[in-house]
């Protein structure tokens, strides 16, 4: 998988490439999720199962990225208070759907809900602009890809051991895993590390 794919999708998104790519990726993900979660077909048993396998997480990231390219073309011009209402209603609906349908459907629909939620939060002038527009959260957004890739692997590798060490203190383990994942994401987001990964891995013949 070459990083040039992102540039290609971005340039061609106006011509429908992003829409077509998003639909294909969504259909593939729903198929893979059905195999993995509903039928129990797991080609990567143990720690590197479907959800926490970095390659599969990259698949999810591509789905989210193409979804963004589709949604960014939407021109929604309404007042600030209406945007705030849209954001709050979307957030409430998201949490309600996650609670009502947890473990009853495959993960693909959650991505659709998440895309809608993120789109609502990116609308300018809403109440969540002040909450999520600070420098810390903006920086987390800049390293979101790295954080997205490493966090679930850390959870699966360390969660059980950390729970034993802390006497099943779930809250403490949550913050420990959060800090570990954050530090790892910061490391992989460093320019020398990113350049090394890009030149030695992404540009190798295996990923072209």
């Amino acid at each position: 998988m070459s990083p040039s794919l992102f540039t290609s999708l971005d340039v061609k998104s106006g011509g429908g490439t992003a829409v077509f790519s998003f639909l294909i990726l969504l259909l593939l993900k729903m198929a893979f999720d059905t195999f993995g979660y509903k039928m129990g077909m797991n080609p990567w048993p143990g720690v590197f199962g479907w959800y926490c396998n970095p390659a599969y997480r990259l698949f999810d990231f591509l789905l989210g990225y193409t979804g963004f390219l589709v949604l960014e073309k939407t021109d929604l011009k309404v007042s600030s208070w209406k945007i705030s209402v849209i954001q709050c209603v979307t957030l409430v609906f998201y949490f309600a759907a996650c609670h009502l349908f947890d473990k009853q459907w495959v993960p693909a629909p959650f991505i659709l809900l998440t895309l809608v939620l993120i789109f609502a939060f990116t609308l300018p002038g809403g109440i969540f602009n002040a909450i999520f527009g600070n420098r810390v959260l903006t920086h987390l957004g800049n390293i979101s890809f790295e954080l997205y890739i490493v966090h679930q692997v850390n959870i699966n590798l360390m969660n059980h051991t950390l729970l034993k060490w802390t006497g099943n203190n779930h809250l403490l383990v949550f913050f420990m895993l959060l800090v570990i994942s954050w530090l790892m994401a910061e490391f992989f987001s460093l320019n020398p590390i990113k350049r090394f990964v890009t030149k030695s891995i992404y540009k190798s013949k295996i990923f072209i």
Side-chain angles (χ1 to χ4, degrees):
M1 182 71 68
S2 170
S4 61
L5 173 62
F6 293 97
T7 305
S8 175
L9 287 173
D10 200 7
V11 171
K12 298 177 182 178
S13 60
T17 302
V19 176
F20 178 76
S21 301
F22 175 77
L23 293 175
I24 294 298
L25 287 168
L26 178 62
L27 291 175
L28 288 173
K29 176 166 177 58
M30 292 184 70
F32 289 146
D33 287 350
T34 300
F35 292 147
Y37 292 94
K38 296 297 184 181
M39 302 173 64
M41 298 172 61
N42 188 356
W44 304 297
V47 171
F48 290 101
W50 281 98
Y51 183 76
C52 62
N53 188 283
Y56 194 66
R57 303 298 284 169
L58 178 59
F59 188 95
D60 287 351
F61 186 86
L62 284 173
L63 183 60
Y65 184 76
T66 53
F68 160 76
L69 292 178
V70 173
L71 288 175
E72 74 167 343
K73 302 300 180 182
T74 303
D75 187 17
L76 188 61
K77 295 181 179 180
V78 294
S79 60
S80 295
W81 74 268
K82 289 183 179 179
I83 290 177
S84 297
V85 171
I86 291 173
Q87 291 175 337
C88 292
V89 170
T90 304
L91 183 62
V92 171
F93 177 77
Y94 179 85
F95 283 126
C98 290
H99 175 72
L100 292 173
F101 299 105
D102 185 31
K103 299 180 181 180
Q104 297 182 34
W105 55 1
V106 294
F110 280 103
I111 289 188
L112 292 178
L113 284 173
T114 304
L115 285 172
V116 174
L117 180 66
I118 293 173
F119 171 70
F121 276 23
T122 59
L123 295 174
I127 188 174
F128 288 98
N129 280 36
I131 299 175
F132 294 106
N134 59 75
R135 293 180 63 182
V136 174
L137 290 181
T138 299
H139 176 68
L140 283 178
N142 291 333
I143 63 171
S144 60
F145 176 77
E146 291 82 4
L147 190 60
Y148 183 79
I149 290 295
V150 304
H151 83 281
Q152 189 63 35
V153 176
N154 288 336
I155 291 173
N156 282 62
L157 284 173
M158 305 178 193
N159 187 56
H160 182 69
T161 301
L162 291 177
L163 283 174
K164 289 176 60 178
W165 288 354
T166 60
N168 287 323
N169 190 326
H170 290 269
L171 183 60
L172 177 59
V173 170
F174 168 79
F175 282 108
M176 291 174 68
L177 289 171
L178 176 63
V179 171
I180 292 171
S181 298
W182 191 340
L183 291 175
M184 288 183 64
E186 294 284 3
F187 172 77
F188 285 111
S189 67
L190 294 173
N191 286 331
I193 304 301
K194 292 174 72 172
R195 284 195 297 267
F196 171 77
V197 172
T198 300
K199 292 180 179 180
S200 62
I201 299 178
Y202 285 149
K203 288 188 177 180
S204 65
K205 294 182 180 179
I206 297 176
F207 291 89
I208 295 176

Coordinates of all heavy atoms in Angstrom, one line a residue, residues 42-118:
N42 N -11.2 -16.4 11.9 CA -10.1 -15.5 12.4 C -8.8 -16.0 11.8 O -8.2 -17.0 12.4 CB -10.1 -15.4 13.9 CG -9.1 -14.4 14.4 OD1 -8.4 -13.7 13.6 ND2 -9.1 -14.2 15.7
P43 N -8.2 -15.4 10.8 CA -6.9 -15.8 10.3 C -5.8 -15.4 11.1 O -4.7 -15.9 11.0 CB -6.9 -15.1 8.9 CG -7.7 -13.9 9.1 CD -8.8 -14.3 10.0
W44 N -6.0 -14.5 12.1 CA -4.9 -14.1 13.0 C -5.4 -14.3 14.5 O -5.8 -13.4 15.1 CB -4.6 -12.6 12.8 CG -4.3 -12.2 11.4 CD1 -3.2 -12.6 10.7 CD2 -5.1 -11.3 10.5 NE1 -3.3 -12.1 9.4 CE2 -4.4 -11.3 9.3 CE3 -6.2 -10.6 10.7 CZ2 -4.8 -10.5 8.2 CZ3 -6.7 -9.9 9.6 CH2 -6.0 -9.8 8.4
P45 N -5.3 -15.5 14.9 CA -5.7 -15.8 16.3 C -4.9 -15.1 17.4 O -3.8 -14.8 17.1 CB -5.6 -17.4 16.4 CG -4.5 -17.7 15.4 CD -4.7 -16.7 14.3
G46 N -5.5 -15.0 18.5 CA -4.8 -14.4 19.7 C -4.7 -12.9 19.6 O -5.7 -12.2 19.3
V47 N -3.6 -12.4 20.0 CA -3.4 -10.9 20.1 C -3.7 -10.2 18.8 O -4.4 -9.2 18.8 CB -2.0 -10.6 20.6 CG1 -1.7 -9.1 20.5 CG2 -1.8 -11.1 22.0
F48 N -3.2 -10.7 17.7 CA -3.4 -10.0 16.4 C -4.7 -10.5 15.7 O -4.6 -11.0 14.5 CB -2.2 -10.2 15.5 CG -1.0 -9.4 16.0 CD1 0.0 -10.1 16.7 CD2 -0.9 -8.0 15.9 CE1 1.1 -9.4 17.2 CE2 0.2 -7.3 16.4 CZ 1.2 -8.0 17.0
G49 N -5.8 -10.4 16.4 CA -7.1 -10.8 15.8 C -7.5 -9.7 14.9 O -6.8 -8.7 14.6
W50 N -8.8 -9.8 14.4 CA -9.3 -8.9 13.4 C -9.2 -7.4 13.8 O -8.6 -6.6 13.2 CB -10.8 -9.2 13.1 CG -11.0 -10.4 12.2 CD1 -11.2 -11.7 12.5 CD2 -10.9 -10.4 10.8 NE1 -11.4 -12.4 11.5 CE2 -11.1 -11.7 10.3 CE3 -10.6 -9.4 9.8 CZ2 -11.2 -12.0 9.0 CZ3 -10.7 -9.7 8.5 CH2 -10.9 -11.0 8.1
Y51 N -9.7 -7.1 15.0 CA -9.8 -5.7 15.4 C -8.5 -5.1 15.7 O -8.3 -3.9 15.4 CB -10.7 -5.6 16.6 CG -11.0 -4.2 17.1 CD1 -11.8 -3.4 16.4 CD2 -10.3 -3.6 18.2 CE1 -12.0 -2.0 16.7 CE2 -10.5 -2.3 18.5 CZ -11.4 -1.5 17.8 OH -11.6 -0.2 18.2
C52 N -7.6 -5.8 16.3 CA -6.3 -5.2 16.8 C -5.2 -5.4 15.8 O -4.0 -5.0 16.1 CB -5.9 -5.7 18.1 SG -5.6 -7.5 18.2
N53 N -5.4 -6.1 14.7 CA -4.3 -6.3 13.7 C -4.0 -4.9 13.0 O -4.9 -4.3 12.4 CB -4.7 -7.3 12.7 CG -3.5 -7.7 11.8 OD1 -3.2 -7.0 10.9 ND2 -2.9 -8.8 12.0
P54 N -2.7 -4.4 13.0 CA -2.4 -3.1 12.4 C -2.8 -3.0 11.0 O -3.3 -2.0 10.5 CB -0.9 -3.0 12.6 CG -0.6 -3.9 13.8 CD -1.6 -5.0 13.7
A55 N -2.7 -4.1 10.2 CA -3.0 -4.1 8.8 C -4.5 -3.9 8.6 O -5.0 -3.1 7.8 CB -2.6 -5.4 8.1
Y56 N -5.3 -4.5 9.5 CA -6.8 -4.3 9.4 C -7.2 -2.9 9.9 O -8.1 -2.3 9.4 CB -7.5 -5.4 10.2 CG -9.0 -5.5 10.0 CD1 -9.4 -5.9 8.7 CD2 -9.9 -5.2 10.9 CE1 -10.8 -6.1 8.4 CE2 -11.2 -5.3 10.7 CZ -11.7 -5.8 9.4 OH -13.0 -5.9 9.2
R57 N -6.4 -2.4 10.9 CA -6.7 -1.0 11.3 C -6.4 0.0 10.2 O -7.1 1.0 10.2 CB -5.9 -0.7 12.6 CG -6.1 -1.7 13.7 CD -7.5 -1.7 14.2 NE -7.8 -0.6 15.0 CZ -9.0 -0.2 15.4 NH1 -10.1 -0.9 15.0 NH2 -9.2 0.9 16.2
L58 N -5.4 -0.3 9.4 CA -5.1 0.6 8.3 C -6.3 0.6 7.3 O -6.6 1.6 6.8 CB -3.8 0.1 7.6 CG -3.4 0.9 6.3 CD1 -3.2 2.4 6.7 CD2 -2.2 0.4 5.7
F59 N -6.9 -0.6 7.2 CA -8.1 -0.7 6.3 C -9.2 0.2 6.9 O -9.8 0.9 6.1 CB -8.6 -2.2 6.4 CG -9.6 -2.5 5.4 CD1 -9.3 -3.0 4.1 CD2 -11.0 -2.3 5.7 CE1 -10.4 -3.3 3.2 CE2 -12.0 -2.6 4.8 CZ -11.7 -3.1 3.6
D60 N -9.4 0.2 8.2 CA -10.4 1.1 8.8 C -10.0 2.6 8.6 O -10.9 3.4 8.3 CB -10.5 0.8 10.3 CG -11.2 -0.5 10.6 OD1 -11.8 -1.1 9.6 OD2 -11.2 -0.9 11.7
F61 N -8.8 2.9 8.7 CA -8.3 4.2 8.5 C -8.6 4.7 7.1 O -9.0 5.9 6.9 CB -6.8 4.4 8.8 CG -6.3 5.8 8.8 CD1 -6.4 6.6 9.9 CD2 -5.8 6.3 7.7 CE1 -6.0 7.9 9.9 CE2 -5.3 7.6 7.6 CZ -5.4 8.4 8.8
L62 N -8.4 3.9 6.1 CA -8.7 4.2 4.7 C -10.1 4.5 4.5 O -10.5 5.4 3.8 CB -8.2 3.1 3.8 CG -6.7 3.0 3.5 CD1 -6.4 1.8 2.7 CD2 -6.2 4.3 2.8
L63 N -11.0 3.7 5.2 CA -12.4 3.9 5.1 C -12.8 5.2 5.7 O -13.6 6.0 5.1 CB -13.1 2.8 5.8 CG -14.7 2.8 5.8 CD1 -15.2 2.7 4.3 CD2 -15.2 1.6 6.6
G64 N -12.2 5.6 6.8 CA -12.5 6.9 7.4 C -12.0 8.0 6.6 O -12.6 9.1 6.5
Y65 N -10.8 7.8 6.0 CA -10.2 8.9 5.2 C -11.1 9.2 3.9 O -11.3 10.3 3.6 CB -8.8 8.5 4.8 CG -8.1 9.6 4.0 CD1 -7.6 10.7 4.7 CD2 -7.9 9.5 2.6 CE1 -6.9 11.7 4.0 CE2 -7.2 10.5 1.9 CZ -6.7 11.6 2.6 OH -6.1 12.6 1.9
T66 N -11.5 8.1 3.2 CA -12.3 8.3 2.0 C -13.7 8.9 2.4 O -14.2 9.7 1.7 CB -12.5 7.0 1.3 OG1 -13.0 6.0 2.2 CG2 -11.2 6.6 0.7
G67 N -14.2 8.5 3.6 CA -15.4 9.1 4.1 C -15.3 10.6 4.3 O -16.2 11.4 4.0
F68 N -14.1 11.0 4.9 CA -13.9 12.4 5.1 C -13.8 13.2 3.7 O -14.4 14.3 3.6 CB -12.5 12.6 5.8 CG -11.9 14.0 5.6 CD1 -12.5 15.1 6.3 CD2 -10.9 14.2 4.7 CE1 -11.9 16.3 6.2 CE2 -10.3 15.5 4.6 CZ -10.9 16.5 5.3
L69 N -13.2 12.6 2.7 CA -13.1 13.2 1.4 C -14.5 13.4 0.8 O -14.8 14.4 0.1 CB -12.3 12.4 0.4 CG -10.8 12.3 0.8 CD1 -10.1 11.4 -0.2 CD2 -10.1 13.7 0.8
V70 N -15.4 12.5 1.1 CA -16.8 12.6 0.6 C -17.5 13.7 1.3 O -18.2 14.6 0.7 CB -17.5 11.3 0.7 CG1 -19.0 11.4 0.3 CG2 -16.9 10.2 -0.2
L71 N -17.4 13.7 2.7 CA -18.2 14.6 3.5 C -17.7 16.1 3.4 O -18.4 17.0 3.6 CB -18.1 14.2 5.0 CG -19.0 12.9 5.3 CD1 -18.8 12.5 6.7 CD2 -20.5 13.2 5.0
E72 N -16.4 16.2 3.1 CA -15.8 17.6 3.1 C -16.4 18.4 2.0 O -16.3 19.7 2.0 CB -14.3 17.6 3.0 CG -13.8 17.2 1.6 CD -12.3 17.4 1.5 OE1 -11.7 18.2 2.3 OE2 -11.7 16.9 0.6
K73 N -17.0 17.8 1.0 CA -17.6 18.5 -0.1 C -19.0 19.1 0.3 O -19.6 19.9 -0.5 CB -17.8 17.6 -1.3 CG -16.4 17.0 -1.8 CD -15.4 18.1 -2.2 CE -14.1 17.5 -2.7 NZ -13.1 18.5 -3.0
T74 N -19.5 18.7 1.4 CA -20.8 19.1 1.8 C -20.7 20.6 2.3 O -19.9 20.9 3.1 CB -21.3 18.3 3.0 OG1 -21.4 16.9 2.6 CG2 -22.7 18.7 3.4
D75 N -21.6 21.4 1.8 CA -21.6 22.8 2.1 C -22.8 23.1 2.9 O -23.9 23.4 2.4 CB -21.6 23.7 0.8 CG -21.4 25.2 1.1 OD1 -21.0 25.5 2.2 OD2 -21.7 26.0 0.2
L76 N -22.7 23.1 4.3 CA -23.8 23.3 5.2 C -23.7 24.7 5.8 O -22.8 24.9 6.7 CB -23.8 22.2 6.2 CG -25.0 22.2 7.2 CD1 -26.3 21.9 6.4 CD2 -24.9 21.1 8.2
K77 N -24.5 25.6 5.4 CA -24.4 27.0 5.9 C -25.6 27.3 6.7 O -26.7 27.6 6.3 CB -24.3 28.0 4.7 CG -23.1 27.9 3.9 CD -23.0 28.9 2.8 CE -21.8 28.7 1.9 NZ -21.7 29.7 0.8
V78 N -25.4 27.2 8.1 CA -26.5 27.5 9.0 C -25.9 28.3 10.2 O -24.7 28.4 10.3 CB -27.2 26.2 9.5 CG1 -27.9 25.5 8.4 CG2 -26.1 25.2 10.2
S79 N -26.7 28.8 11.0 CA -26.3 29.6 12.1 C -25.5 28.7 13.2 O -25.7 27.5 13.2 CB -27.4 30.3 12.8 OG -28.4 29.4 13.3
S80 N -24.8 29.4 14.1 CA -24.0 28.7 15.1 C -24.8 27.9 16.0 O -24.5 26.8 16.4 CB -23.2 29.7 15.9 OG -22.2 30.4 15.0
W81 N -26.0 28.4 16.4 CA -26.8 27.7 17.4 C -27.4 26.5 16.8 O -27.5 25.4 17.4 CB -27.9 28.6 18.0 CG -29.1 28.9 17.1 CD1 -29.2 29.9 16.2 CD2 -30.2 28.1 16.9 NE1 -30.4 29.9 15.5 CE2 -31.1 28.7 15.9 CE3 -30.7 26.9 17.5 CZ2 -32.3 28.2 15.6 CZ3 -31.9 26.4 17.1 CH2 -32.7 27.1 16.2
K82 N -27.7 26.5 15.5 CA -28.2 25.3 14.8 C -27.1 24.3 14.7 O -27.4 23.0 14.8 CB -28.8 25.7 13.4 CG -30.1 26.5 13.5 CD -30.6 26.7 12.1 CE -31.9 27.5 12.1 NZ -32.4 27.8 10.7
I83 N -25.9 24.7 14.4 CA -24.8 23.8 14.3 C -24.5 23.1 15.7 O -24.3 21.9 15.8 CB -23.5 24.5 13.9 CG1 -23.6 24.9 12.4 CG2 -22.3 23.6 14.1 CD1 -22.5 25.7 11.9
S84 N -24.7 23.9 16.8 CA -24.5 23.4 18.1 C -25.6 22.3 18.4 O -25.3 21.3 19.0 CB -24.6 24.5 19.2 OG -23.5 25.4 19.0
V85 N -26.8 22.6 18.0 CA -27.9 21.6 18.1 C -27.6 20.3 17.4 O -27.8 19.2 17.9 CB -29.3 22.2 17.7 CG1 -30.3 21.1 17.7 CG2 -29.7 23.3 18.6
I86 N -27.2 20.5 16.1 CA -26.8 19.3 15.3 C -25.7 18.5 16.0 O -25.8 17.2 16.0 CB -26.4 19.8 13.9 CG1 -27.5 20.3 13.1 CG2 -25.8 18.6 13.1 CD1 -27.1 21.0 11.8
Q87 N -24.7 19.1 16.5 CA -23.6 18.4 17.2 C -24.1 17.7 18.4 O -23.7 16.5 18.6 CB -22.5 19.4 17.5 CG -21.8 20.0 16.3 CD -20.8 21.1 16.7 OE1 -20.9 21.7 17.8 NE2 -19.8 21.3 15.9
C88 N -24.9 18.3 19.2 CA -25.4 17.7 20.5 C -26.3 16.5 20.1 O -26.2 15.5 20.8 CB -26.1 18.7 21.3 SG -25.0 20.0 22.0
V89 N -27.2 16.7 19.2 CA -28.1 15.6 18.8 C -27.4 14.4 18.2 O -27.6 13.3 18.6 CB -29.2 16.1 17.8 CG1 -30.0 15.0 17.3 CG2 -30.1 17.1 18.5
T90 N -26.4 14.7 17.4 CA -25.6 13.7 16.8 C -24.8 12.9 17.9 O -24.7 11.6 17.9 CB -24.6 14.2 15.8 OG1 -25.3 15.0 14.8 CG2 -23.8 13.1 15.1
L91 N -24.2 13.6 18.9 CA -23.5 13.0 19.9 C -24.4 12.1 20.8 O -24.1 10.9 21.1 CB -22.8 14.0 20.8 CG -22.0 13.5 22.0 CD1 -20.8 12.7 21.4 CD2 -21.5 14.7 22.8
V92 N -25.6 12.6 21.1 CA -26.6 11.8 21.9 C -27.0 10.5 21.1 O -27.0 9.4 21.7 CB -27.8 12.6 22.3 CG1 -28.9 11.8 22.9 CG2 -27.4 13.7 23.3
F93 N -27.3 10.7 19.8 CA -27.7 9.6 19.0 C -26.6 8.5 18.9 O -26.8 7.3 19.0 CB -28.1 10.0 17.6 CG -28.4 8.9 16.7 CD1 -29.7 8.3 16.8 CD2 -27.5 8.5 15.7 CE1 -30.0 7.3 15.9 CE2 -27.8 7.5 14.8 CZ -29.1 6.9 14.9
Y94 N -25.3 9.0 18.8 CA -24.2 8.1 18.7 C -24.1 7.2 20.0 O -24.0 6.0 19.9 CB -22.9 8.9 18.5 CG -21.7 8.1 18.4 CD1 -21.3 7.5 17.2 CD2 -20.9 7.8 19.6 CE1 -20.1 6.7 17.1 CE2 -19.7 7.1 19.5 CZ -19.4 6.5 18.3 OH -18.2 5.7 18.2
F95 N -24.1 7.8 21.1 CA -24.0 7.1 22.4 C -25.2 6.2 22.6 O -25.0 5.0 23.1 CB -23.8 8.0 23.6 CG -22.5 8.6 23.7 CD1 -22.3 10.0 23.8 CD2 -21.3 7.8 23.8 CE1 -21.0 10.5 23.9 CE2 -20.1 8.3 23.9 CZ -19.9 9.7 24.0
A96 N -26.4 6.6 22.2 CA -27.6 5.8 22.3 C -27.5 4.6 21.4 O -27.8 3.4 21.9 CB -28.8 6.6 22.0
A97 N -27.0 4.8 20.2 CA -26.9 3.6 19.3 C -25.8 2.6 19.8 O -26.0 1.4 19.7 CB -26.5 4.2 17.9
C98 N -24.7 3.1 20.3 CA -23.7 2.3 20.8 C -24.2 1.4 21.9 O -23.9 0.2 22.1 CB -22.5 3.1 21.2 SG -21.5 3.8 19.8
H99 N -25.0 2.0 22.8 CA -25.6 1.3 24.0 C -26.6 0.3 23.5 O -26.6 -0.8 24.0 CB -26.2 2.3 24.9 CG -26.8 1.7 26.1 ND1 -26.2 1.0 27.1 CD2 -28.2 1.5 26.4 CE1 -27.0 0.5 28.0 NE2 -28.3 0.8 27.6
L100 N -27.5 0.7 22.6 CA -28.6 -0.2 22.2 C -28.2 -1.4 21.4 O -28.7 -2.4 21.5 CB -29.7 0.6 21.5 CG -30.4 1.7 22.3 CD1 -31.3 2.5 21.4 CD2 -31.3 1.0 23.4
F101 N -27.2 -1.1 20.5 CA -26.8 -2.1 19.6 C -25.4 -2.8 19.8 O -24.9 -3.5 19.0 CB -26.8 -1.6 18.1 CG -28.2 -1.0 17.7 CD1 -28.4 0.3 17.7 CD2 -29.2 -1.9 17.4 CE1 -29.7 0.8 17.3 CE2 -30.4 -1.5 17.0 CZ -30.7 -0.1 17.0
D102 N -24.9 -2.5 21.0 CA -23.6 -3.1 21.3 C -23.6 -4.6 21.2 O -24.6 -5.3 21.8 CB -23.1 -2.7 22.7 CG -21.7 -3.2 23.0 OD1 -20.9 -3.3 22.1 OD2 -21.4 -3.4 24.2
K103 N -22.7 -5.3 20.5 CA -22.6 -6.7 20.4 C -23.7 -7.3 19.5 O -23.8 -8.5 19.5 CB -22.5 -7.4 21.7 CG -21.3 -7.0 22.6 CD -21.3 -7.7 23.9 CE -20.1 -7.2 24.8 NZ -20.0 -7.9 26.1
Q104 N -24.5 -6.5 18.9 CA -25.6 -7.0 18.1 C -25.3 -6.8 16.6 O -26.1 -7.3 15.8 CB -26.9 -6.4 18.5 CG -27.3 -6.7 19.9 CD -28.7 -6.0 20.2 OE1 -29.6 -6.0 19.4 NE2 -28.9 -5.6 21.4
W105 N -24.3 -6.1 16.2 CA -24.0 -5.9 14.8 C -22.5 -5.8 14.6 O -21.7 -5.8 15.6 CB -24.7 -4.6 14.3 CG -24.3 -3.3 15.1 CD1 -23.5 -3.2 16.2 CD2 -24.8 -2.0 14.9 NE1 -23.4 -2.0 16.7 CE2 -24.2 -1.2 15.9 CE3 -25.6 -1.4 13.9 CZ2 -24.4 0.2 15.9 CZ3 -25.8 -0.1 14.0 CH2 -25.2 0.7 15.0
V106 N -22.1 -5.9 13.4 CA -20.7 -5.9 13.0 C -20.1 -4.4 13.2 O -20.9 -3.5 13.1 CB -20.4 -6.4 11.6 CG1 -20.8 -7.9 11.6 CG2 -21.2 -5.6 10.6
P107 N -18.8 -4.3 13.3 CA -18.3 -2.9 13.6 C -18.5 -1.9 12.4 O -18.4 -0.7 12.7 CB -16.8 -3.2 13.8 CG -16.7 -4.6 14.2 CD -17.8 -5.3 13.5
A108 N -18.7 -2.3 11.2 CA -18.8 -1.4 10.1 C -19.8 -0.3 10.3 O -19.5 0.9 10.1 CB -19.1 -2.1 8.8
P109 N -21.0 -0.5 10.8 CA -22.0 0.6 11.1 C -21.4 1.6 12.1 O -21.8 2.8 12.0 CB -23.2 -0.1 11.6 CG -23.1 -1.5 11.0 CD -21.7 -1.8 11.1
F110 N -20.6 1.1 13.0 CA -20.1 2.1 14.0 C -19.2 3.1 13.3 O -19.1 4.3 13.7 CB -19.2 1.3 15.1 CG -20.1 0.7 16.1 CD1 -20.3 -0.7 16.1 CD2 -20.6 1.5 17.2 CE1 -21.1 -1.2 17.1 CE2 -21.4 0.9 18.2 CZ -21.6 -0.5 18.1
I111 N -18.5 2.7 12.3 CA -17.6 3.6 11.5 C -18.5 4.7 10.8 O -18.2 5.8 10.8 CB -16.8 2.8 10.5 CG1 -15.7 2.1 11.2 CG2 -16.1 3.8 9.5 CD1 -14.7 1.4 10.4
L112 N -19.6 4.2 10.3 CA -20.5 5.2 9.6 C -21.0 6.2 10.6 O -21.0 7.4 10.3 CB -21.7 4.5 9.0 CG -21.4 3.6 7.8 CD1 -22.7 2.9 7.3 CD2 -20.8 4.4 6.7
L113 N -21.4 5.8 11.8 CA -21.9 6.7 12.9 C -20.7 7.6 13.3 O -21.0 8.8 13.5 CB -22.4 5.9 14.1 CG -23.7 5.2 13.9 CD1 -24.0 4.3 15.2 CD2 -24.8 6.3 13.8
T114 N -19.5 7.1 13.4 CA -18.4 7.9 13.8 C -18.1 8.9 12.7 O -17.7 10.1 13.1 CB -17.2 7.0 14.0 OG1 -17.5 6.0 15.0 CG2 -16.0 7.8 14.5
L115 N -18.2 8.6 11.5 CA -17.9 9.6 10.4 C -18.9 10.7 10.5 O -18.6 11.9 10.4 CB -18.0 8.9 9.0 CG -16.9 8.0 8.6 CD1 -17.2 7.3 7.3 CD2 -15.6 8.9 8.4
V116 N -20.2 10.4 10.7 CA -21.2 11.4 10.9 C -20.9 12.3 12.1 O -21.0 13.5 12.0 CB -22.6 10.8 11.0 CG1 -23.7 11.9 11.3 CG2 -23.0 10.1 9.7
L117 N -20.5 11.7 13.2 CA -20.2 12.4 14.4 C -19.0 13.4 14.2 O -19.1 14.5 14.5 CB -19.9 11.4 15.5 CG -19.5 12.0 16.9 CD1 -20.7 12.8 17.5 CD2 -19.0 11.0 17.8
I118 N -17.9 12.8 13.5 CA -16.8 13.7 13.3 C -17.1 14.8 12.3 O -16.7 16.0 12.5 CB -15.6 12.8 12.7 CG1 -15.1 11.8 13.7 CG2 -14.5 13.7 12.2 CD1 -14.1 10.8 13.2

